[in-house]
Amino acid sequence: MTATLHPEPLAFKPSTHGPIRDERLSEIASKVAQGQRLSLQDGELLFTTPDIWTVCELADTVRRRLHGDTAFYNINRHLNYSNVCALSCKFCEFYRKKDEPGSYTRDMEYVKNQVREAIENGATEMHSVGGLHPYLPFSYYTDLVSTIRDTARELGSELHVKAYTAVEIVHLAKIAKVYKADDRTFGIRWVLEKLKQAGLGSLPGGGAEVFDDRVHDEAYKGKIRSDVWLDVHRVAHDLGLNTNATILYGHIEQRHDRLVHMDMLRRAQDRALAKMGYEGIRHQASGISENAAPTSGHLGYSGDEGAEVPVITLTRPNTPLPEHIAFGSSPNAECRMPNATAPSSGYFQTIIPLPFFPDGSELEHLPGPAGLENLRTLAIARLMLDNFPHVKAFWIMQTLPMAQLMLQSGADDIDGTVVWYDITKVGGSSTHQEVNVWTLQKAIREAGFKPIERDTLYRRVEREGKSWRPAAS
Ligand code: V47
């Protein structure tokens, strides 16, 4: 096993949008200026240049093109319904075996109480994920979703239910005995349809880790691989559900693995946007993904049997985000859907880079990434993922001060009030990790942006006290 330490020259000191100091970056800078897709080779240079501030400035250019001077937060609550997990991922400190001290599974009374508190505090979203519990019946998972939805409604409000990672969706298909290895789509679709009927609004981005088989087999063997993770999100998109994506970095992966992960995600997004009616240029014709892994040239998930996929970027200059994607967020919302009959949902909204926290995990001997590596990885995510509308600096894992720097380096979102978070614990053992709205707004303002409260689908929230509704686009 090799730790990913990156000994290299010290970073340059920041300039204020001054000239590029590493001349090798000028070609990338001109691609960014024209809104062209960056190659994996470009990504390698962005990772190795000591001129990290130019990397951040380039990411900031793209971020401002999309979102101007606005930055998003939401009022939300995370609910980890159980930490009992059949898997034993080496990076994870959260999981417990059934009956092990500290293991828990929440019942519906607990869930209702969480919803009551959430509504009392004006929340618009409940984000719920857990371990792969070996014994809970399928009905638990639909009950969890409908309980959140219905309890909120009984209180005269609405909570968007963002729940279950792709890993859990496949686990649920197995529990419900609908998972067929030779036709994965069938079981995944069956589960997602049932959850949608119960009130599921979108899928969070967890469980992706890093799309690399070596790293998978060493650190999270037994978990679904990238092809299955991408399948779940493809089916969710086909059902009109928006989803997020994460990348867990700074453990035993190499930086190249991060770039491959980003490339696989953006190609999956190309496909999702193409289904929504967007047109782009052809991959092969453009030669853009010439050195993109996987070696077969396709993503390996069902429905991607080597077909040509258009490159669709959302980050070209003077091309505002399409209205239905931007909702109220674009500085100039003139753009219309290219095809009026195409679906207006079913794509990746946000990439969330997650820095590895070693404490308490089996990989505790590794140092984990530090500040500049986090900043750089997030900026590169903004630059590589040219068709993801949003980049989130999840303040719980990045810390609020770092999230401020990240807002100036590609991020446009810092997540929300969170309240309880059991998966990683910053600076201690408490899972109560809450900031109030005022603190989030202050952090955003201090970073030079206008705070906008959004709902899960990135619509501006109009609120009167605790009651809220999405602003008309
Ligand atoms: O999938 C687990 C990661 C993820 C550790 O969709 C760890 O809006 C670091 O996905 N160090 C769950 N990371 C969190 C997640 C998420 C968070 C915020 C917003 C959204 C969204 C999604 O946390 C897991 C795993 O990749 N994780 N253990 C650890 N020791």
Side-chain angles (χ1 to χ4, degrees), residues 78 91-92 127 162 204-207 209 244 246 248 352 354-357 392 394 397 415 421 423-424:
H78 285 241
F91 62 79
C92 183
H127 177 163
K162 180 169 85 175
E209 321 318 355
N244 291 339
T246 54
L248 175 70
I352 307 134
L354 300 173
F356 168 55
F357 273 66
K392 185 186 288 189
F394 184 41
M397 291 198 193
D415 205 82
Y421 195 71
I423 298 175
T424 53

Side-chain angles (χ1 to χ4, degrees), residues 277-298:
Y278 288 93
E279 289 169 359
I281 46 170
R282 302 276 129 194
H283 268 170
Q284 278 85 345
S286 67
I288 278 160
S289 289
E290 73 278 9
N291 57 359
T295 45
S296 60
H298 64 87

Side-chain angles (χ1 to χ4, degrees), residues 73-91:
Y73 69 93
N74 70 347
I75 303 185
N76 67 349
R77 198 163 261 247
H78 285 241
L79 167 62
N80 300 123
Y81 58 86
S82 176
N83 62 355
V84 176
C85 190
L87 298 177
S88 307
C89 299
K90 287 187 183 170
F91 62 79

